[in-house]
Amino acid sequence: MNTTKETTCPCCGEGSLRTLKRDYIANIGEGQKLHVPNIEMEVCDKCGEEILSLESARAVDAAIADHTERLTPNELRELREQFGVDQTEMSEALGLGGKTFHRWEKGTQYPSRSMGYYLRLLREFPEAFEWLRSRRWKGRNRHVTREQSPEAEMQQRFPALAQNRVRLTTAMTDRCNYAMVLLVVQ
Ligand SMILES: [Zn+2]
Protein backbone atom coordinates (compact mmCIF):
# COMPACT_ATOMS: atom_id res chain seq x y z
CA MET A 1 0.00 0.00 0.00
CA ASN A 2 2.87 2.32 0.81
CA THR A 3 4.29 2.01 -2.70
CA THR A 4 0.93 2.88 -4.27
CA LYS A 5 0.51 5.87 -2.01
CA GLU A 6 3.95 7.22 -2.91
CA THR A 7 3.31 7.19 -6.64
CA THR A 8 -0.28 8.50 -6.58
CA CYS A 9 -0.54 12.05 -7.90
CA PRO A 10 -1.18 14.44 -4.98
CA CYS A 11 -2.85 16.85 -7.39
CA CYS A 12 -5.64 14.76 -8.96
CA GLY A 13 -5.39 11.77 -6.59
CA GLU A 14 -5.98 9.39 -9.52
CA GLY A 15 -2.96 9.24 -11.80
CA SER A 16 0.44 7.74 -11.06
CA LEU A 17 3.68 9.65 -10.95
CA ARG A 18 6.64 8.56 -13.00
CA THR A 19 10.12 10.03 -12.93
CA LEU A 20 11.60 11.41 -16.11
CA LYS A 21 13.99 14.06 -17.42
CA ARG A 22 12.81 16.66 -19.89
CA ASP A 23 12.59 20.41 -20.57
CA TYR A 24 10.89 22.33 -17.82
CA ILE A 25 8.93 25.27 -19.19
CA ALA A 26 9.09 28.11 -16.69
CA ASN A 27 6.78 31.09 -16.80
CA ILE A 28 9.02 34.13 -16.42
CA GLY A 29 6.38 36.85 -16.56
CA GLU A 30 4.95 39.13 -19.25
CA GLY A 31 3.79 36.09 -21.20
CA GLN A 32 7.34 34.84 -21.67
CA LYS A 33 8.46 31.29 -21.07
CA LEU A 34 11.89 29.82 -20.54
CA HIS A 35 12.76 26.23 -21.52
CA VAL A 36 15.13 24.78 -18.95
CA PRO A 37 16.62 21.59 -20.41
CA ASN A 38 17.16 18.24 -18.73
CA ILE A 39 15.24 18.73 -15.50
CA GLU A 40 14.34 15.65 -13.49
CA MET A 41 10.70 15.64 -12.42
CA GLU A 42 7.80 13.40 -11.52
CA VAL A 43 4.91 13.66 -13.95
CA CYS A 44 1.34 12.48 -13.43
CA ASP A 45 0.12 10.23 -16.25
CA LYS A 46 -3.43 11.49 -15.80
CA CYS A 47 -3.46 15.24 -15.09
CA GLY A 48 0.08 16.04 -16.26
CA GLU A 49 1.10 17.70 -13.00
CA GLU A 50 4.86 18.15 -12.76
CA ILE A 51 6.52 17.76 -9.38
CA LEU A 52 10.08 18.97 -8.98
CA SER A 53 12.48 17.91 -6.27
CA LEU A 54 14.08 20.68 -4.24
CA GLU A 55 17.27 20.17 -6.25
CA SER A 56 15.43 20.45 -9.57
CA ALA A 57 13.53 23.51 -8.39
CA ARG A 58 16.84 25.16 -7.48
CA ALA A 59 18.27 24.36 -10.91
CA VAL A 60 15.21 25.94 -12.55
CA ASP A 61 15.44 28.97 -10.29
CA ALA A 62 19.13 29.45 -11.11
CA ALA A 63 18.39 29.21 -14.85
CA ILE A 64 15.65 31.83 -14.54
CA ALA A 65 17.87 34.14 -12.47
CA ASP A 66 20.59 33.88 -15.08
CA HIS A 67 18.26 34.43 -18.02
CA THR A 68 16.42 37.38 -16.51
CA GLU A 69 19.63 38.95 -15.14
CA ARG A 70 17.78 39.09 -11.89
CA LEU A 71 18.50 41.79 -9.35
CA THR A 72 19.18 40.35 -5.90
CA PRO A 73 17.00 41.34 -2.90
CA ASN A 74 19.99 43.30 -1.59
CA GLU A 75 20.39 45.25 -4.81
CA LEU A 76 16.67 46.02 -4.76
CA ARG A 77 16.82 47.30 -1.19
CA GLU A 78 19.85 49.50 -1.96
CA LEU A 79 18.08 50.86 -5.02
CA ARG A 80 15.03 51.81 -2.98
CA GLU A 81 17.12 53.33 -0.18
CA GLN A 82 18.91 55.43 -2.79
CA PHE A 83 15.57 57.14 -3.40
CA GLY A 84 14.71 57.42 0.30
CA VAL A 85 11.28 55.81 0.06
CA ASP A 86 9.65 52.85 1.79
CA GLN A 87 8.55 49.68 0.02
CA THR A 88 4.96 50.82 -0.45
CA GLU A 89 6.03 54.19 -1.85
CA MET A 90 8.46 52.43 -4.18
CA SER A 91 5.69 50.12 -5.47
CA GLU A 92 3.40 53.07 -6.05
CA ALA A 93 6.07 55.08 -7.86
CA LEU A 94 6.72 52.15 -10.20
CA GLY A 95 3.01 51.56 -10.82
CA LEU A 96 3.03 48.17 -9.09
CA GLY A 97 0.70 46.58 -6.53
CA GLY A 98 1.34 47.88 -3.00
CA LYS A 99 3.12 44.76 -1.72
CA THR A 100 5.18 44.00 -4.82
CA PHE A 101 8.43 45.68 -3.87
CA HIS A 102 8.12 44.20 -0.39
CA ARG A 103 7.96 40.71 -1.95
CA TRP A 104 10.93 41.44 -4.20
CA GLU A 105 13.07 42.52 -1.24
CA LYS A 106 12.01 39.41 0.67
CA GLY A 107 12.95 37.30 -2.32
CA THR A 108 9.56 35.57 -2.55
CA GLN A 109 8.94 37.20 -5.95
CA TYR A 110 11.25 38.66 -8.54
CA PRO A 111 11.12 41.52 -11.02
CA SER A 112 10.83 40.45 -14.64
CA ARG A 113 13.69 40.89 -17.05
CA SER A 114 12.30 44.11 -18.55
CA MET A 115 11.54 45.51 -15.08
CA GLY A 116 15.12 44.67 -14.12
CA TYR A 117 16.39 46.78 -17.02
CA TYR A 118 14.04 49.60 -16.05
CA LEU A 119 15.18 49.53 -12.42
CA ARG A 120 18.83 49.62 -13.49
CA LEU A 121 18.03 52.63 -15.63
CA LEU A 122 16.52 54.42 -12.62
CA ARG A 123 19.56 53.52 -10.53
CA GLU A 124 21.81 55.07 -13.19
CA PHE A 125 19.65 58.18 -13.70
CA PRO A 126 18.19 58.92 -10.25
CA GLU A 127 16.73 62.26 -11.36
CA ALA A 128 14.28 60.29 -13.49
CA PHE A 129 12.82 58.74 -10.33
CA GLU A 130 11.37 62.04 -9.08
CA TRP A 131 9.98 62.69 -12.54
CA LEU A 132 8.35 59.26 -12.46
CA ARG A 133 7.14 59.55 -8.90
CA SER A 134 5.40 62.88 -9.46
CA ARG A 135 3.85 61.58 -12.71
CA ARG A 136 5.24 64.62 -14.49
CA TRP A 137 3.64 63.57 -17.80
CA LYS A 138 0.22 64.31 -16.34
CA GLY A 139 1.21 67.92 -15.73
CA ARG A 140 2.35 68.11 -19.30
CA ASN A 141 -0.98 66.88 -20.63
CA ARG A 142 -2.88 69.32 -18.48
CA HIS A 143 -0.97 72.44 -19.37
CA VAL A 144 0.09 72.07 -22.97
CA THR A 145 -2.14 73.60 -25.57
CA ARG A 146 -1.70 73.54 -29.30
CA GLU A 147 -1.07 77.25 -29.49
CA GLN A 148 2.06 76.92 -27.38
CA SER A 149 5.42 76.94 -29.03
CA PRO A 150 7.85 74.20 -28.02
CA GLU A 151 9.85 76.87 -26.19
CA ALA A 152 6.84 77.95 -24.12
CA GLU A 153 5.98 74.34 -23.41
CA MET A 154 9.49 73.60 -22.19
CA GLN A 155 9.56 76.72 -20.05
CA GLN A 156 6.31 75.67 -18.44
CA ARG A 157 7.57 72.17 -17.76
CA PHE A 158 10.95 73.34 -16.57
CA PRO A 159 10.57 76.76 -14.92
CA ALA A 160 14.32 76.90 -14.39
CA LEU A 161 14.69 77.39 -18.13
CA ALA A 162 12.53 80.50 -18.18
CA GLN A 163 14.47 81.94 -15.29
CA ASN A 164 17.77 81.16 -17.00
CA ARG A 165 18.83 79.14 -14.00
CA VAL A 166 19.67 76.18 -16.21
CA ARG A 167 22.08 76.28 -19.07
CA LEU A 168 21.55 73.61 -21.67
CA THR A 169 24.64 71.76 -22.70
CA THR A 170 25.18 68.83 -24.99
CA ALA A 171 26.53 66.94 -21.97
CA MET A 172 22.98 66.89 -20.63
CA THR A 173 21.82 64.89 -23.61
CA ASP A 174 24.02 62.08 -22.45
CA ARG A 175 22.54 62.15 -19.01
CA CYS A 176 18.81 61.59 -19.33
CA ASN A 177 15.96 60.99 -21.70
CA TYR A 178 14.15 64.23 -21.50
CA ALA A 179 17.35 66.14 -22.05
CA MET A 180 16.75 65.11 -25.67
CA VAL A 181 13.54 67.11 -25.53
CA LEU A 182 15.38 70.03 -24.00
CA LEU A 183 17.36 70.28 -27.23
CA VAL A 184 14.21 71.61 -28.90
CA VAL A 185 14.67 74.79 -26.91
CA GLN A 186 18.22 75.41 -28.06
ZN1 LIG B 1 -2.54 13.93 -11.40
Side-chain angles (χ1 to χ4, degrees), residues 93-104:
L94 297 171
L96 302 162
K99 290 267 179 237
T100 304
F101 213 88
H102 183 76
R103 294 190 191 109
W104 288 352

Side-chain angles (χ1 to χ4, degrees), residues 9-17 44-49:
C9 172
C11 186
C12 64
E14 292 174 34
S16 303
L17 298 176
C44 173
D45 61 8
K46 186 157 176 109
C47 73
E49 180 71 14

